[in-house]
Amino acid sequence: TKSIVQKIPLLTVNATPRDKDKWVERLKEEYAALIQYVKINKESGNDWFYVESNATGTRWTGKCWIVHDLLKYEFDLQFEIPANYPEVPCELELPELDGKTAKMYRGGKICLDTHFKPLWSKNTPRFGIAHALAMGLGPWLHAEIPHLIQAGIVVHKEGQGKASETSEKTAEKTTEKTSEKTTEKTAEKTTEKVAEKTTEKV
């Protein structure tokens, strides 16, 4: 994980969603980092998520998945950007796992490693969404989901496919959602909409 995190671009703009023009610049950096992280995952054959934001870049939704015993387990992913972000990280939510593990807060918010928040604080504002996914959600999935599967709490669903199918069918969907071009287009649309709303308010 450390070697991968080191390859994700660091962010420079320290802005919250309330900072209007500066938030637009922050979003551009967020998307640039996500694009690079997706590229790193693709090169290592480890695609495991896709996310996209709303018009203001404050609410994000997508999917994440893990392959266990050659079966793919997929979960809805969502999170909102806190008002005091990036001073504090976003809380990553897997709503369908709410109440199924002790390592999760109400609403499906994952309980991150005790080292995560201090590390995040130390690197504010350089860490962003891509870093939260790499350091928080990724390790959590690999540590927690296998136990939930073995306990029979998480069951493989029809249509989620096998590992061999993940590299084909799922790759098509993943590539469509998180390819560099698509992510760049989404980034452009989002930052344009945020800029328009900022101009209207001014």
Side-chain angles (χ1 to χ4, degrees):
T1 300
K2 185 177 180 181
S3 60
I4 292 176
V5 170
Q6 290 176 337
K7 295 178 183 178
I8 300 174
L10 295 174
L11 287 67
T12 61
V13 180
N14 190 1
T16 73
R18 296 173 292 188
D19 289 327
K20 300 179 180 180
D21 289 344
K22 284 188 69 179
W23 177 242
V24 175
E25 295 306 311
R26 173 77 187 192
L27 274 179
K28 289 179 181 178
E29 289 191 339
E30 293 281 5
Y31 270 109
L34 280 167
I35 289 169
Q36 183 60 28
Y37 185 32
V38 168
K39 184 178 179 182
I40 292 169
N41 288 336
K42 285 182 180 296
E43 289 175 349
S44 62
N46 188 36
D47 260 348
W48 65 273
F49 76 91
Y50 70 78
V51 290
E52 53 191 352
S53 72
N54 63 359
T56 58
T58 54
R59 179 169 177 77
W60 297 68
T61 55
K63 297 279 187 182
C64 62
W65 54 87
I66 181 174
V67 173
H68 181 74
D69 288 341
L70 301 181
L71 294 176
K72 178 192 165 204
Y73 296 81
E74 185 177 272
F75 309 95
D76 290 330
L77 167 64
Q78 64 186 39
F79 55 92
E80 293 185 358
I81 301 298
N84 51 347
Y85 179 87
E87 185 178 334
V88 298
C90 43
E91 295 183 303
L92 306 171
E93 303 173 25
L94 304 178
E96 60 197 284
L97 294 181
D98 185 19
K100 294 185 177 181
T101 168
K103 294 185 179 179
M104 180 170 276
Y105 301 113
R106 182 173 294 180
K109 296 176 181 177
I110 67 171
C111 182
L112 296 171
D113 185 279
T114 53
H115 301 292
F116 178 81
K117 287 189 176 179
L119 185 60
W120 180 278
S121 297
K122 183 180 178 181
N123 287 278
T124 299
R126 294 173 293 176
F127 279 179
I129 294 168
H131 298 86
L133 293 171
M135 298 188 305
L137 183 58
W140 189 94
L141 286 172
H142 285 278
E144 193 64 15
I145 298 303
H147 292 301
L148 296 177
I149 293 171
Q150 289 169 10
I153 297 172
V154 169
V155 181
H156 184 259
K157 300 174 185 176
E158 286 188 28
Q160 289 192 334
K162 297 180 180 179
S164 58
E165 295 170 347
T166 300
S167 59
E168 297 174 7
K169 294 180 181 179
T170 307
E172 291 177 10
K173 186 176 182 181
T174 306
T175 301
E176 180 185 342
K177 288 282 185 180
T178 55
S179 68
E180 291 177 57
K181 288 185 179 179
T182 303
T183 308
E184 284 171 354
K185 286 182 180 178
T186 305
E188 288 174 8
K189 287 181 180 178
T190 303
T191 50
E192 280 174 10
K193 287 179 181 177
V194 174
E196 284 174 10
K197 291 193 174 184
T198 301
T199 304
E200 288 173 4
K201 289 180 180 179
V202 174

